[in-house]
Amino acid sequence: AAVKPDLENESNIFTSLLLTSDLVGYIEKPNHYFINNDAKTRGELDNLLLTQGWRKIDWKQISANTAPVITYPAEKTMKISGTITKGGKPVPKGKVSLFSSSGGYFAIDTLSDENGKFSFDDFVFSDSTKFVVQARTNKDNKNVQIDLDMVPAQVVTKNSNTGDIEVNVNESLADYLNQSDKYFNEMVKRGMLERTIMLNEVRIVEKKNPAPNSANLNGAGNADLVITEKDLQNAILLSQYLQGRVAGVQITNGQAFLTRAMGMGGPRPMQVMLDGMNMGTEFRLDDIVVQDIESIEVLKSIGNTAIYGSANGVLVITTKRGGSSTGYNRYAPGIITYNPKGYYAMRQFYSP
């Protein structure tokens, strides 16, 4: 015999979109109001709405002709904005630069207003574009703090219809399991089914990538040496940690140098790639907070550095990005990385 479903107790797109999302309290058997379109069901629906009350309508605001406050307004343009502070006070006329190397080099500048606020707007970028925001005072002091304006995330609230959720799924599936067990037992008695099927042993072995979020052009984890956040958990300064720990690398004045490249036209520091961005020759390792680093990939051999066009070696540094509520990483005074959600690239779908 077939197992009959409990249609009235089901939750589907109609019950969620048209009923439970607009009502505050618990609704018993929400699909009951969508199965039959008759006078009795419509009367029961009226009684439900009178009892529960509407979630999205405030009659006092309607009577006063007051527009509701929109928590998540529609985005009319794409912009990156924020505030520059120094010692808790706004920085007026501060120099703010926004640049990115994702899909080609991009850089623009602006100045902060009297309240320390700045804004880059009316420009378009694709999804997964990485930006670096750099700020200085009007006297070129980099010891400032940058706070970007972030849209608050959707608040996760308790499900008002938790009464419909089965804690023990075996109770709701008991009829189905009993019918299935009877069917298989009958098949075994008739010799039409073997009860036991022995499968061959299959072993799946995978090596964990030590730098899964890296922007290494050779491929994440393809480096002469990979240093993980676990290795750095007791480190205070990055320059002190790397000194003497990496063969062939010497630390001088907060910069890393390859010993084999020291005599090639004068000492030149190793190229530092921070979240895919080239930080230039004036960047110091101690500008990065060690606790914000997820992995460091040391590229020394010609095979690994050739794609970067550097004979002086490359340090590919990836910062942590999981569990952050801000959406950006602050790893040094006056500079942050930001990875906003942009437009998806246009896709051509298959057509016969």
Side-chain angles (χ1 to χ4, degrees):
V3 179
K4 295 182 179 180
D6 186 3
L7 296 178
E8 291 190 349
N9 203 33
E10 286 185 352
S11 296
N12 50 48
I13 191 171
F14 286 109
T15 62
S16 177
L17 183 64
L18 302 178
L19 189 63
T20 58
S21 62
D22 281 332
L23 300 183
V24 179
Y26 167 68
I27 302 174
E28 184 179 0
K29 297 184 177 181
N31 201 35
H32 167 76
Y33 304 96
F34 294 90
I35 295 177
N36 298 318
N37 186 15
D38 51 22
K40 181 176 182 296
T41 304
R42 289 194 294 269
E44 293 172 346
L45 180 60
D46 289 339
N47 294 334
L48 174 67
L49 298 181
L50 290 172
T51 304
Q52 292 281 354
W54 289 96
R55 176 193 297 268
K56 297 181 179 178
I57 295 179
D58 187 349
W59 295 108
K60 294 181 180 180
Q61 288 187 346
I62 294 178
S63 299
N65 200 19
T66 303
V69 178
I70 302 177
T71 307
Y72 305 98
E75 293 181 325
K76 298 181 179 179
T77 182
M78 303 179 75
K79 71 175 183 177
I80 298 176
S81 60
T83 307
I84 310 173
T85 57
K86 183 177 176 21
K89 297 181 180 179
V91 177
K93 297 182 180 179
K95 305 174 184 177
V96 187
S97 301
L98 176 72
F99 53 93
S100 172
S101 63
S102 300
Y105 188 76
F106 165 84
I108 52 177
D109 299 321
T110 188
L111 297 176
S112 60
D113 61 13
E114 297 299 325
N115 298 319
K117 295 185 177 296
F118 65 91
S119 178
F120 299 98
D121 51 10
D122 292 333
F123 70 103
V124 177
F125 51 88
S126 60
D127 196 28
S128 302
T129 302
K130 295 180 180 179
F131 292 97
V132 173
V133 183
Q134 192 174 40
R136 299 287 188 272
T137 64
N138 54 359
K139 297 182 180 179
D140 206 29
N141 187 343
K142 69 176 183 179
N143 190 21
V144 297
Q145 178 172 325
I146 306 173
D147 294 305
L148 296 182
D149 298 331
M150 306 298 298
V151 177
Q154 179 71 43
V155 179
V156 179
T157 58
K158 183 180 179 181
N159 185 3
S160 59
N161 292 297
T162 51
D164 292 334
I165 300 176
E166 291 283 353
V167 178
N168 185 3
V169 295
N170 290 331
E171 294 180 0
S172 58
L173 295 177
D175 293 338
Y176 169 77
L177 295 175
N178 290 333
Q179 292 289 344
S180 178
D181 191 52
K182 291 179 181 178
Y183 169 77
F184 282 107
N185 288 335
E186 187 66 25
M187 295 291 287
V188 171
K189 290 179 182 179
R190 298 181 181 183
M192 300 176 62
L193 180 68
E194 293 184 3
R195 194 63 174 176
T196 304
I197 300 176
M198 182 65 68
L199 299 178
N200 295 328
E201 182 180 3
V202 178
R203 291 187 179 184
I204 301 176
V205 180
E206 181 182 3
K207 185 178 179 181
K208 184 178 180 181
N209 191 337
N213 299 316
S214 170
N216 188 351
L217 298 181
N218 297 296
N222 293 328
D224 298 297
L225 176 66
V226 179
I227 302 172
T228 63
E229 58 178 317
K230 185 177 180 180
D231 301 325
L232 298 169
Q233 60 185 357
N234 296 322
I236 300 176
L237 296 175
L238 184 58
S239 61
Q240 292 180 355
Y241 178 85
L242 295 178
Q243 183 68 50
R245 279 188 170 88
V246 182
V249 176
Q250 179 180 344
I251 307 299
T252 304
N253 295 328
Q255 292 182 310
F257 296 85
L258 277 184
T259 53
R260 64 174 173 82
M262 294 290 285
M264 300 172 58
R268 293 184 179 180
M270 298 179 68
Q271 184 176 341
V272 178
M273 302 295 297
L274 185 60
D275 288 334
M277 301 296 300
N278 188 350
M279 304 311 295
T281 57
E282 297 182 359
F283 192 77
R284 297 293 186 270
L285 297 175
D286 294 337
D287 288 340
I288 310 174
V289 180
V290 179
Q291 288 72 24
D292 290 342
I293 298 177
E294 181 180 273
S295 65
I296 302 175
E297 296 164 274
V298 183
L299 310 182
K300 299 184 296 181
S301 61
I302 299 298
N304 287 329
T305 61
I307 195 171
Y308 288 95
S310 173
N312 304 309
V314 182
L315 292 176
V316 180
I317 303 176
T318 304
T319 57
K320 297 177 182 177
R321 59 196 67 194
S324 175
S325 59
T326 59
Y328 56 88
N329 298 313
R330 180 184 292 110
Y331 51 81
I335 184 171
I336 62 174
T337 60
Y338 182 42
N339 191 11
K341 295 183 182 298
Y343 289 127
Y344 281 103
M346 184 176 64
R347 295 172 173 84
Q348 180 65 43
F349 291 95
Y350 169 77
S351 59

